[in-house]
Amino acid sequence: QVQLVESGGGLVQAGGSLSLSCAASGRSFGTSNMGWFRQAQGRERQFVAAVGWSGRSKTYADSGKGRFTIPRDNARNTVTLRMSMLTPEDTAVYYCAADIGTVVSNNSASYEYWGQGTQVTVSS
């Protein structure tokens, strides 16, 4: 079991930066792949970024490449989504998710545990 709590969302101007944090509790964090997804109003949930259990394997959606990074700290049971050069198209609720699988996935169906989400709003 993994419990996830996101924080760090808020309002930011276009071109700005924001870091989201996901705090995890439970025994499985250190062996879980972690992902960030987002869902804009009226749209389907979409993949943002994911990192393998060791932190070495990372994958990003094309929309975030060069702008987002996803470091994790297994000693602190946290995973972060660092976002820069934000645009209004990045406005969404951002969700942290955990996958006790072997392959880092960009498919939300692979993730067993989800946080409650945190709102990110980028103003133009």
Side-chain angles (χ1 to χ4, degrees):
Q1 283 269 350
V2 180
Q3 294 80 43
L4 305 171
V5 178
E6 302 96 335
S7 61
L11 175 65
V12 62
Q13 287 189 332
S17 300
L18 201 63
S19 285
L20 306 181
S21 182
C22 176
S25 59
R27 290 183 157 185
S28 301
F29 178 80
T31 57
S32 296
N33 300 320
M34 300 298 297
W36 285 95
F37 292 78
R38 67 187 183 186
Q39 188 166 18
Q41 193 168 8
R43 301 185 66 178
E44 291 188 353
R45 190 169 297 187
Q46 64 176 192
F47 171 74
V48 176
V51 58
W53 66 269
S54 70
R56 288 193 295 267
S57 178
K58 298 178 182 180
T59 185
Y60 298 92
D62 288 344
S63 59
K65 285 180 181 176
R67 301 190 301 130
F68 296 175
T69 60
I70 184 170
R72 68 184 291 166
D73 185 340
N74 286 347
R76 296 173 183 259
N77 279 14
T78 61
V79 61
T80 301
L81 182 67
R82 293 179 179 153
M83 304 183 290
S84 62
M85 297 181 284
L86 288 163
T87 74
E89 288 67 39
D90 295 313
T91 295
V93 177
Y94 283 71
Y95 297 90
C96 173
D99 168 24
I100 309 177
T102 57
V103 178
V104 179
S105 175
N106 62 3
N107 185 345
S108 62
S110 299
Y111 290 79
E112 295 90 355
Y113 305 101
W114 292 82
Q116 82 289 348
T118 185
Q119 176 71 47
V120 171
T121 303
V122 184
S123 63
S124 58

